[in-house]
């Protein structure tokens, strides 16, 4: 979108876009589409030119549309009509209203489409996130400001009562008990005239959005409406953060609520990933009633990769402490010293990474680069370019398993010679995780595997996959934690990794790189 609407949440953006179009207030749209929904002469010329240019990266398309002031989305949607292959974000297919809008504009039917989902291991979590709702003190405070600003004083009192009700429900939460499960009607019954509050929030929220594009009042109305939904596939959790702020979550546990509709309607659905293991788990979680499961052999020469489990440290919570952090740092340093080139270290969390870095900094002689939390695109690219520039002398990038560099980056050839996965990135055993385990246990009889062990191991394998990106790449992958050697986790490794358990890892790494010469 060429409008300055990037500050809006998804739902508010869609509403604002619709209003601007309906009132002919978006010049980019009116330059692109006539009232009959046909393209303007200017847009037809642009489509013809774009087609002759071949496939365009989204940023190139946006730049192309800036000067003539055309809508990049509408041009894309129009070109989909004649396209045989369309690349899009998951939301464009799995979010029902977004999918309906795209397919309507493009004159396509889902039943005529083959849906190919890349990096399919991410799909369950993304779909659960799409169906999850949240109400926080931040939202309530902003909504109170809106109600006061636009003089909706009767709603102001109701929102204050809503905040008080949350405070009462969370009165037993403290430093030792940060969250608790809440029943649907435990919350509903604490609010006077709950149904009327939903109606007021949505109606007044629409009025506020007319004045300032977005509305927290409207978002609260939507949350209250969502809260009245099903109990079976959701968890209802009240949380308190370190500042004492409360938030109420209606968390989806079942991704198939979204994916099954696409799978059932599409001509065919193919879900693929380098770490789609075990395939039967994704068959269950995504709601495939009938499908073929196919595991392909790794096409890269096995002699180009050395995979080791080093069982001399652990990030297990009960063992964490300064001595263990120092021990982990020493092990990482010994591994780094024997790898002639760039090395990445992946930790389960930023906190644990920083604890180890404190000791590794004084031990390691190489340049060390640190992944920051919530890096933007430019910051990520700058850090990767700096890392690449040190390929001859060798640098160390310290990241997090589920962070910016844990998957999706390519460092082929001699840009990356070693990956160390430090510990298991198991989810914090909070209420959402325990509810997910219980739900999967009840539905599939595999609660711990589906809700805890396999998702963590997928992250480890994604981290490991950064090392070998082509048939000529050579590198070392080290899993640094004694738990990797336990049978419960050892079974999760693909058989073709030919993984070895060793405490003589320095000699093995030296020997591996001697063969390269």
């Amino acid at each position: 979108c060429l409008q300055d609407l990037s500050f809006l949440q998804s739902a508010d953006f869609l509403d604002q876009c619709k209003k601007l179009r309906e009132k002919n207030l978006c010049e980019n749209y009116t330059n692109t589409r006539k009232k009959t929904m046909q393209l303007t002469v200017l847009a037809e010329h642009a489509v013809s030119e774009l087609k002759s240019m071949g496939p365009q990266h989204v940023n190139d398309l946006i730049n192309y549309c800036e000067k003539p002031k055309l809508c990049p989305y509408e041009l894309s949607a129009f070109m989909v009509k004649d396209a045989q292959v369309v690349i899009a974000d998951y939301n464009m297919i799995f979010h029902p209203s977004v999918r309906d809008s795209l397919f309507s504009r493009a004159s396509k039917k889902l039943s005529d489409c083959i849906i190919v989902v890349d990096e399919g291991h991410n799909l369950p979590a993304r779909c659960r996130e799409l169906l999850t709702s949240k109400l926080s003190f931040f939202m309530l405070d902003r909504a109170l400001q809106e109600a006061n600003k636009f003089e909706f004083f009767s709603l102001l009192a109701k929102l204050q009562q809503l905040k008080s009700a949350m405070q009462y429900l969370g009165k037993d939460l403290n430093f030792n008990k940060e969250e608790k499960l809440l029943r649907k009607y435990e919350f509903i019954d604490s609010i006077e005239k709950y149904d009327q509050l939903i109606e007021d929030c949505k109606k007044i929220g629409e009025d506020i959005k007319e004045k300032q594009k977005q509305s927290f009042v409207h978002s609260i109305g939507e949350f209250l409406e969502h809260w009245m939904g099903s109990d079976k596939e959701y968890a209802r959790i009240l949380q308190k953060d370190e500042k004492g702020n409360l938030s109420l979550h209606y968390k989806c546990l079942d991704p198939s609520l979204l994916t099954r509709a696409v799978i059932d309607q599409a001509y065919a659905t193919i879900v693929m990933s380098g770490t789609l293991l075990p395939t039967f788990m994704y068959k269950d979680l995504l709601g495939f009633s009938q499908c073929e499961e196919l595991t392909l052999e790794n096409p890269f020469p096995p002699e180009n990769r050395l995979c080791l489990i080093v069982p001399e440290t652990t990030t297990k919570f009960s063992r964490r402490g300064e001595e263990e952090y120092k021990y982990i740092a020493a092990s990482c340093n010994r591994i780094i010293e024997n790898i002639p080139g760039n090395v990445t270290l992946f930790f389960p969390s930023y906190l644990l990474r920083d604890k180890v870095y404190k000791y590794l900094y004084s031990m390691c002689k190489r340049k060390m680069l640190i992944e920051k939390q919530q890096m933007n695109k430019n910051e990520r690219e700058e850090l990767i370019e700096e890392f690449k520039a040190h390929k001859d002398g060798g640098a160390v990038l310290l990241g997090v398993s589920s962070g910016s560099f844990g998957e999706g980056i390519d460092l082929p050839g001699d840009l990356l010679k070693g990956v160390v996965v430090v510990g298991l990135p198991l989810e914090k055993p909070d209420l959402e995780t325990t509810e997910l385990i219980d739900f999967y246990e009840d539905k599939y009889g595999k609660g711990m595997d589906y809700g805890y062990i396999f998702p963590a191991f997928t992250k480890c394998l994604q981290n490991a996959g950064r090392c070998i990106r082509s048939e000529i790449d050579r590198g070392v992958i080290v899993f640094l934690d004694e738990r990797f050697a336990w049978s419960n986790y050892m079974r999760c490794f693909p058989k073709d990794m030919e993984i070895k358990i060793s405490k003589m890892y320095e000699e093995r790494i030296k020997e591996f790189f001697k063969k390269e010469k």
Side-chain angles (χ1 to χ4, degrees), residues 338-397:
N338 287 286
I339 296 176
N342 283 341
V343 181
T344 58
L345 307 180
F346 291 108
F347 294 83
S349 68
Y350 290 100
L351 177 63
L352 188 64
R353 189 270 312 274
D354 293 343
K355 294 282 188 183
V356 174
Y357 173 67
K358 181 174 70 173
Y359 294 104
L360 185 60
Y361 179 79
S362 59
M363 298 177 185
C364 186
K365 298 175 183 177
R366 297 194 189 183
K367 171 75 174 179
M368 285 193 280
L369 305 172
I370 308 295
E371 174 196 339
K372 295 187 298 184
Q373 293 190 55
Q374 298 177 330
M375 298 177 77
N376 61 40
K377 183 180 177 182
N378 289 337
E379 288 173 330
R380 290 195 301 270
E381 289 178 353
E382 285 174 9
L383 189 62
I384 284 294
E385 289 306 311
E386 186 178 0
F387 187 55
K388 289 178 180 178
H390 286 86
K391 67 181 180 67
D392 294 331
V396 183
L397 173 59

Side-chain angles (χ1 to χ4, degrees), residues 127-133 181-184 223 226-237 249-258 431-432 435-436 439:
C127 288
R128 289 199 298 110
E129 186 182 327
L130 276 174
L131 290 174
T132 290
S133 302
L181 294 173
L182 213 61
R183 295 186 302 274
K184 181 197 293 189
F223 173 84
H226 291 159
W227 183 263
M228 297 177 73
S230 170
D231 280 326
K232 187 178 179 183
E233 304 92 354
Y234 289 81
R236 303 172 191 272
I237 300 171
H249 303 259
Y250 182 53
K251 288 188 174 284
C252 178
L253 305 173
D254 189 354
S256 71
L257 294 174
L258 280 184
L431 283 178
E432 181 182 4
E435 286 293 291
L436 199 60
F439 178 75

Side-chain angles (χ1 to χ4, degrees), residues 80-241:
V80 168
K81 289 183 178 182
D82 298 323
Q84 290 179 296
V85 178
V86 179
I87 301 172
D89 184 79
Y90 291 167
N91 286 20
M92 304 299 288
I93 299 298
F94 293 98
H95 190 295
S97 60
V98 175
R99 177 176 69 241
D100 292 346
S101 174
L102 173 65
F103 277 66
S104 174
R105 276 176 164 77
S107 302
K108 297 283 188 186
K109 292 181 180 179
L110 185 56
S111 58
D112 294 331
C113 296
I114 298 171
I115 306 299
V116 182
V117 182
D118 193 19
E119 303 294 3
H121 62 277
N122 287 322
L123 188 59
R126 281 286 298 275
C127 288
R128 289 199 298 110
E129 186 182 327
L130 276 174
L131 290 174
T132 290
S133 302
K134 175 183 176 181
L135 174 63
S136 66
F137 269 16
F138 172 79
M139 293 169 64
L140 278 165
D141 289 340
R142 295 296 292 269
L144 286 164
Q145 290 174 16
E146 290 175 2
N148 188 56
K149 176 181 177 182
F150 297 107
E151 300 182 349
F152 292 107
F153 298 123
S154 62
L155 179 65
L156 190 67
K158 293 177 182 178
L159 291 173
Q160 286 171 331
Q161 189 237 346
L162 174 57
K163 187 173 182 179
S164 296
M166 281 183 66
Q167 286 173 321
Y168 178 78
L169 291 168
K171 67 182 186 299
D172 58 331
L173 296 180
N174 51 46
F175 181 77
N176 296 314
K177 184 182 178 184
E178 300 173 356
E179 57 181 358
K180 70 176 185 179
L181 294 173
L182 213 61
R183 295 186 302 274
K184 181 197 293 189
Y185 285 99
E186 191 177 357
F187 176 62
I188 291 174
D189 292 345
S190 70
I191 311 298
E192 187 178 342
K193 296 181 180 179
Y194 189 91
D195 291 341
Q196 185 61 51
L197 180 57
I198 294 174
E199 188 177 329
D200 291 347
C201 284
K202 295 191 79 173
K203 185 177 179 181
I204 291 171
E206 288 290 348
D207 195 340
I208 292 172
K209 284 204 279 189
E210 290 284 346
K211 298 178 174 69
Q212 64 174 33
K213 296 181 182 177
Q214 67 174 335
S215 168
F216 285 91
V217 168
H218 192 272
S219 297
I220 289 171
E222 289 191 321
F223 173 84
L224 296 176
E225 193 170 54
H226 291 159
W227 183 263
M228 297 177 73
S230 170
D231 280 326
K232 187 178 179 183
E233 304 92 354
Y234 289 81
R236 303 172 191 272
I237 300 171
L238 182 64
Q239 296 177 337
K240 178 177 277 189
D241 66 20

Side-chain angles (χ1 to χ4, degrees), residues 339-503:
I339 296 176
N342 283 341
V343 181
T344 58
L345 307 180
F346 291 108
F347 294 83
S349 68
Y350 290 100
L351 177 63
L352 188 64
R353 189 270 312 274
D354 293 343
K355 294 282 188 183
V356 174
Y357 173 67
K358 181 174 70 173
Y359 294 104
L360 185 60
Y361 179 79
S362 59
M363 298 177 185
C364 186
K365 298 175 183 177
R366 297 194 189 183
K367 171 75 174 179
M368 285 193 280
L369 305 172
I370 308 295
E371 174 196 339
K372 295 187 298 184
Q373 293 190 55
Q374 298 177 330
M375 298 177 77
N376 61 40
K377 183 180 177 182
N378 289 337
E379 288 173 330
R380 290 195 301 270
E381 289 178 353
E382 285 174 9
L383 189 62
I384 284 294
E385 289 306 311
E386 186 178 0
F387 187 55
K388 289 178 180 178
H390 286 86
K391 67 181 180 67
D392 294 331
V396 183
L397 173 59
L398 289 86
V400 172
S401 285
S402 55
S404 299
F405 307 109
E407 63 175 279
I409 60 166
D410 277 315
L411 294 165
D414 57 357
L415 294 176
L416 182 63
K417 304 299 285 185
V419 168
V420 184
V421 181
V422 183
L424 277 154
L426 294 163
E427 288 292 338
K428 180 182 176 183
D430 55 18
L431 283 178
E432 181 182 4
T433 302
T434 56
E435 286 293 291
L436 199 60
I437 290 169
D438 289 346
F439 178 75
Y440 289 153
E441 183 63 33
D442 183 57
K443 190 170 182 179
Y444 307 112
K446 297 182 175 74
M448 283 296 290
D449 280 352
Y450 285 13
Y452 194 61
I453 293 173
F454 289 158
F457 222 85
T458 296
K459 292 176 186 175
C460 295
L461 295 178
Q462 277 291 325
N463 299 162
R466 300 313 96 210
C467 191
I468 306 293
R469 308 302 296 171
S470 77
E471 68 277 3
I472 61 170
D473 287 1
R474 297 187 86 252
V476 170
I477 300 164
V478 177
F479 297 92
L480 183 61
D481 195 304
E482 63 185 31
R483 288 175 294 173
F484 284 116
W486 296 1
S487 59
N488 200 32
Y489 297 106
M490 192 74 175
R491 66 190 170 105
C492 301
F493 284 106
K495 291 179 181 178
D496 64 9
M497 284 193 81
E498 299 181 3
I499 200 149
K500 300 173 180 66
I501 302 171
S502 177
K503 289 190 176 181

